Amino acid sequence: MLANLQGWHLIVILAIVLLLFGAPKLPGLARSVGQSMRIFKSEVKTMKSDDPAAAADPATAASTIADPAPVATPVDVTATPVSTDAKPNS
């Protein structure tokens, strides 16, 4: 898919991005994408450097998974009927 991109395709894509986000927002957008990439790389590196013996043992790996959060019990909410009779206060 990306092999068919030519130079003019990239120019059109950049023009569309510029129109959508505007020139003032592009530096912030690039900064946030770069920060996300750094976080992703550090997480991948951390996963690779984890103890490989623990990852090979499925019993140990299963015990390190956190339990899901408890589900809140539903609350019974009943509406109070409202009288639609208009009675003047005299």
Side-chain angles (χ1 to χ4, degrees):
M1 180 176 138
L2 294 178
N4 295 334
L5 286 180
Q6 296 175 356
W8 68 274
H9 289 118
L10 295 176
I11 292 173
V12 170
I13 291 171
L14 288 175
I16 291 172
V17 167
L18 184 63
L19 287 173
L20 287 176
F21 294 107
K25 293 184 180 179
L26 287 179
L29 178 67
R31 189 177 307 116
S32 66
V33 168
Q35 185 180 15
S36 299
M37 289 301 296
R38 271 182 264 139
I39 292 170
F40 181 73
K41 285 180 182 180
S42 69
E43 292 295 324
V44 169
K45 188 182 290 187
T46 303
M47 287 177 59
K48 286 182 180 179
S49 67
D50 283 346
D51 186 17
D57 185 15
T60 307
S63 66
T64 59
I65 297 175
D67 292 331
V71 178
T73 58
V75 177
D76 185 26
V77 179
T78 56
T80 306
V82 177
S83 174
T84 58
D85 297 335
K87 296 180 183 176
N89 293 336
S90 21

